[in-house]
Amino acid sequence: MEAAAQFQAPGALITDDFQREITDALRRNSVLDGRLEYTPATGDFSTYYEQNEINGGEFVNPRSPSATPVTNARSPHSLKVKAITNQVNFGHYDVTLGQQQGNFEDLQAKDLDDMLNAVGLTHGKALWRGSDTSLSSPTTLEYRGIAKQITNIFRVGMTSSIVAGIRAKVAAMIASEKYLLRPSAIYIDPIALYYLEEEEREASNNSTQVSSLSKTVVAGIECNAILTAAGKLPLIPEPFMLSEENEDRPDNTDYGIAIVTERMIEYHYVGKKGIYLFELGTVSDLQQKYIGIKYGAPVAKGPGYAHAFGKIERPTLSKIG
């Protein structure tokens, strides 16, 4: 007791205690999750149809018109619903002791919240970086990440302009005669965004690209924007964006960037959009057990035309944590 005391004096014996609020600045989800289109899954394999052509239409002699009947093919696509789970246990002795000390309710509430947040964190990372290789023939238990679903690819080399690369890819999408495309946002690794802003800061003419433009992405959050053929697109920093070490130059990193049509990125869920929380009955080990579980999977519809995924090669900056 003498060693544990912080201060002793007549009428005072101060021993160690702690603040009830635990310092916590940990990230718990991705930006994309707040802007996804959530829709109920149609089954264990959620199925939708996609049309990629409009056939027919021909000029004829107006005095002897005739038409040839045509059909428009519609192809089915499906994605396997996945599950993410987590659990926390409270031992009877620890619960009783915590109640006696008067701090159990606060700690239990935080631990339960953190258990659910861990599901959201895993979900947020896997939205972009999930390791599965197929939506319809899964090879892992994880999602197939959005970055890996998109097949419309571009690259910005070390000496190339990031702004020019983005604007050129958006222009190519808008110029499509086949598809009516309206990209709505650009998700970018925060370090790649830093290099983009540095590029603009050093440029002689940047008033129409980044520095003076901004756009609200969610309530209360405003991002810089870039002027493109699709209008002003917000540059949304996404820490979970897929980025990898450059194969040829290990000191450089290929930072990920995704130009997306957000209305065509969906999360197909089972049950409810959020996370289920279950309390299990106490058994012989006398533990209170709580389990959280989330059912669903993301899909980027039109992966070859409605979105574009790029890699921006720049010197590696170490990320904190």
Side-chain angles (χ1 to χ4, degrees):
M1 186 67 180
E2 181 179 356
Q6 294 179 342
F7 178 76
Q8 296 187 57
L13 178 59
I14 309 301
T15 58
D16 282 337
D17 201 350
F18 61 89
Q19 289 181 321
R20 293 298 184 262
E21 183 177 341
I22 297 174
T23 301
D24 183 349
L26 296 171
R27 191 179 300 279
R28 284 167 162 76
N29 212 329
S30 72
V31 182
L32 177 63
D33 184 62
R35 293 167 62 89
L36 275 176
E37 183 75 23
Y38 273 77
T39 184
T42 63
D44 183 36
F45 284 82
S46 189
T47 301
Y48 64 94
Y49 281 81
E50 183 178 12
Q51 182 172 324
N52 294 106
E53 57 186 12
I54 298 178
N55 293 317
E58 59 182 339
F59 286 97
V60 297
N61 187 333
R63 289 188 172 82
S64 57
S66 63
T68 303
V70 297
T71 60
N72 296 309
R74 300 181 176 103
S75 56
H77 299 273
S78 64
L79 59 147
K80 176 70 173 70
V81 173
K82 303 298 184 74
I84 304 172
T85 188
N86 200 13
Q87 180 172 338
V88 63
N89 296 345
F90 302 105
H92 181 262
Y93 174 76
D94 295 326
V95 169
T96 305
L97 183 59
Q99 289 172 339
Q100 187 166 304
Q101 292 181 324
N103 60 17
F104 173 70
E105 287 77 11
D106 293 338
L107 293 175
Q108 182 192 37
K110 177 163 177 53
D111 285 340
L112 281 173
D113 190 49
D114 286 347
M115 184 268 286
L116 297 176
N117 283 328
V119 174
L121 182 64
T122 301
H123 159 76
K125 290 179 180 179
L127 284 176
W128 290 108
R129 308 196 308 237
S131 64
D132 207 345
T133 57
S134 173
L135 289 173
S136 57
S137 301
T139 56
T140 76
L141 295 176
E142 293 186 8
Y143 300 153
R144 178 159 174 74
I146 297 295
K148 296 179 180 178
Q149 293 183 35
I150 298 171
T151 57
N152 182 16
I153 304 299
F154 69 103
R155 184 174 187 84
V156 179
M158 268 294 297
T159 59
S160 300
S161 165
I162 301 173
V163 168
I166 294 171
R167 285 162 53 84
K169 177 52 72 171
V170 174
M173 295 169 69
I174 296 298
S176 173
E177 294 186 9
K178 186 174 184 180
Y179 298 104
L180 178 60
L181 303 176
R182 285 293 180 268
S184 58
I186 299 168
Y187 290 82
I188 184 171
D189 185 288
I191 294 176
L193 179 59
Y194 156 74
Y195 281 117
L196 183 153
E197 291 172 337
E198 281 296 287
E199 173 186 307
E200 287 298 291
R201 184 180 65 84
E202 296 172 357
S204 58
N205 176 24
N206 62 4
S207 60
T208 61
Q209 262 93 67
V210 174
S211 63
S212 62
L213 303 177
S214 63
K215 197 166 185 178
T216 300
V217 292
V218 294
I221 298 180
E222 195 167 277
C223 291
N224 283 339
I226 183 171
L227 190 61
T228 71
K232 289 195 304 182
L233 297 184
L235 292 161
I236 303 174
E238 175 58 88
F240 299 142
M241 178 60 66
L242 180 66
S243 296
E244 302 168 321
E245 179 183 289
N246 183 271
E247 293 182 357
D248 300 323
R249 289 168 285 277
D251 290 337
N252 292 348
T253 295
D254 291 332
Y255 293 105
I257 178 172
I259 303 167
V260 299
T261 306
E262 289 170 305
R263 65 180 179 81
M264 295 184 69
I265 298 181
E266 297 178 349
Y267 188 85
H268 291 211
Y269 66 89
V270 170
K272 65 177 183 179
K273 300 178 183 179
I275 305 167
Y276 283 100
L277 175 62
F278 297 99
E279 180 181 4
L280 306 185
T282 303
V283 291
S284 58
D285 58 8
L286 300 181
Q287 289 188 330
Q288 295 180 17
K289 300 179 180 180
Y290 296 86
I291 293 179
I293 191 165
K294 180 181 182 71
Y295 303 113
V299 58
K301 293 183 174 180
Y305 55 87
H307 322 279
F309 183 76
K311 294 181 179 180
I312 300 170
E313 183 186 351
R314 288 297 185 269
T316 301
L317 284 181
S318 297
K319 298 183 179 182
I320 294 176

